[in-house]
Every structure is written in structure tokens, then in C-alpha cells.
Amino acid sequence: MGSLVIAIDGPGGSGKSTLARELAGRLGLERLDTGAMYRALALAVLRQGMDPGDARGVTELAGRVRLEIEGSAVRLDGEDVSAAIRTPEVTRAASAVAAHPGARRVLVAEQRAWVESHGGGVVEGRDIGTVVCPDADLKVYLTADPVERARRRSAELAGAQAADAAADELARRDRDDSTRATSPLDVAPGAVVIDTTGRPVEGVVDQILSLLEKR
Ligand code: DC
């Protein structure tokens, strides 16, 4: 099949990770969760006692840490931090860290290198279709009703956060991620917009597979 690249963007709780996992499985591709990279960098920032708003410090640290993503496992300098990056504190810091253009440059370069070395893949994030892989074979932008997104996010956190707290948090992150100056969350030119509200993932996967066939 050559190097097939599928870009999946959308806000938190829109269903990106579930879709990316299923799609990668069906197509025999690997998947890259770029949000996990921003989260792991945010964890490193917090562990250093650094301010997530410190552009220079965060950018410098981005160039120094070693981030490895393998499926759902995330390693920071060799340590498995897959669970540690899912706390509300890291979630907040990740949004701040992701606003720094310098840090984004470092991570975007690593993401492109990942796609290159894996011969394509399913890549999910906020700027995949717009910045990381603008030439992707298929670009998908997921949306979902805010109430459903908050419910999914709170379920994902396994009760660590109540649904109303998750809703507030998501609304704040949507605003921050969509209004930042560098690579804001946006629908890429040519992206297919899919509303996943009330839709089981299988149906969305089938829709995307048929879009791929029609290309
Ligand atoms: O998808 P997520 O919740 O794991 O993302 C964590 C944060 O990283 C979120 O605030 C948005 C940011 N992010 C980004 O700016 N660009 C990406 N490609 C992926 C995530």
C-alpha cells in the first residue's frame, strides 16, 4: 500500500484516540498520539519545577528530553509515563506548553520523523492536517457535542474528574487551543468533517475506509 498517512484532528473528547486506534488496527498501520507528546513534555516541565508559561525554558527542555511513543505507551527519557500524563494537572500544563512556537517546532520535527521512519501511519492531534502532515492521504476533523465530549473525557479519567468539571476543563482548553497564535486547532483545507455524537466508532471507521477506497 506504500506509505499511507491519515491525519486526525479535533478537540478533546471528539473521539480521536479511539478512532485512530481502530483505524490503525484495520489498516495494519501504526498510530501516533501527538497529544501524548505534549503531555509528556508538560510532565517533564512540572517535574523540573519549571513554569509551563516559560517559553524559553520549555523550548530548551523540549530539545533535551527523549520522547518515545509506541501505540498507547509513552516513555519520557526511558520511563513509562503513560498513566502519569493523564492527570488534570498535566492536562492543564500541556495546553500551556503547546502554545510555545519553539516547543512546537521541536515536537513537529519529531512527529514528521516518526511518520518518515514508520512509512506512514495514523497520526492524531490538533495540527496534523494543517502543519505536521499537510500532504496526508486523508485528513479527518472530528467534532462532537460538548456534553458528550465531557462525558467521554470524564469516563476516560476513570472517575478522577466529575462530568461538570470535565466540561469546564474542556471548554477552557478548547478556547486556549483554538485561539493560540501558533498552529491553533482548525479544520485543514480538504479535511472531511465528521460529527461523532452518538455514533459507535465502527461506523466512523467504515465511513473512513470507504472514503479511502474512493480516493
Ligand atoms: O489530545 P490531548 O488532550 O492529549 O492533547 C493534550 C494537549 O496538547 C492539548 O491541550 C492540545 C495540545 N496538542 C497540540 O497543541 N497539538 C497537537 N498536535 C496535539 C495536542
Side-chain angles (χ1 to χ4, degrees):
M1 190 180 277
S3 66
L4 186 65
V5 179
I6 300 177
I8 303 181
D9 292 302
S14 58
K16 294 188 299 291
S17 294
T18 309
L19 175 65
R21 203 176 301 122
E22 292 290 319
L23 202 54
R26 290 277 286 271
L27 291 167
L29 294 172
E30 292 208 54
R31 126 186 124 92
L32 177 63
D33 174 0
T34 62
M37 297 175 74
Y38 288 96
R39 286 171 178 273
L41 176 59
L43 178 66
V45 164
L46 294 176
R47 282 181 171 179
Q48 297 261 327
M50 197 181 270
D51 173 6
D54 172 2
R56 262 179 79 156
V58 171
T59 300
E60 188 266 331
L61 190 60
R64 221 158 16 99
V65 293
R66 186 160 46 90
L67 305 177
E68 293 159 287
I69 313 279
E70 259 176 49
S72 300
V74 183
R75 274 191 298 277
L76 170 63
D77 290 329
E79 176 194 344
D80 187 336
V81 293
S82 315
I85 61 167
R86 300 289 161 192
T87 66
E89 193 192 8
V90 171
T91 300
R92 257 190 308 278
S95 196
V97 158
H100 303 309
R104 298 197 71 85
R105 260 195 301 280
V106 175
L107 266 53
V108 166
E110 291 178 9
Q111 290 154 12
R112 288 182 178 147
W114 184 97
V115 172
E116 187 77 18
S117 68
H118 288 75
V122 180
V123 188
E124 57 160 300
R126 300 290 191 290
D127 62 341
I128 310 307
T130 51
V131 176
V132 180
C133 306
D135 298 327
D137 298 276
L138 184 68
K139 301 179 200 176
V140 179
Y141 185 95
L142 295 187
T143 62
D145 173 84
V147 174
E148 177 147 338
R149 288 171 46 213
R151 194 178 48 69
R152 287 178 188 161
R153 180 49 59 106
S154 120
E156 190 180 295
L157 295 173
Q161 205 176 22
D164 52 351
D168 290 348
E169 173 84 43
L170 274 175
R172 198 180 50 74
R173 277 214 299 148
D174 279 357
R175 196 186 56 236
D176 292 350
D177 293 340
S178 309
T179 57
R180 67 178 178 224
T182 309
S183 312
L185 171 64
D186 205 359
V187 182
V192 183
V193 180
I194 300 178
D195 187 339
T196 65
T197 310
R199 293 188 62 186
V201 65
E202 297 77 24
V204 182
V205 169
D206 288 342
Q207 181 181 353
I208 291 175
L209 292 178
S210 78
L211 285 170
L212 277 172
E213 276 166 21
K214 284 194 209 116
R215 270 182 319 131

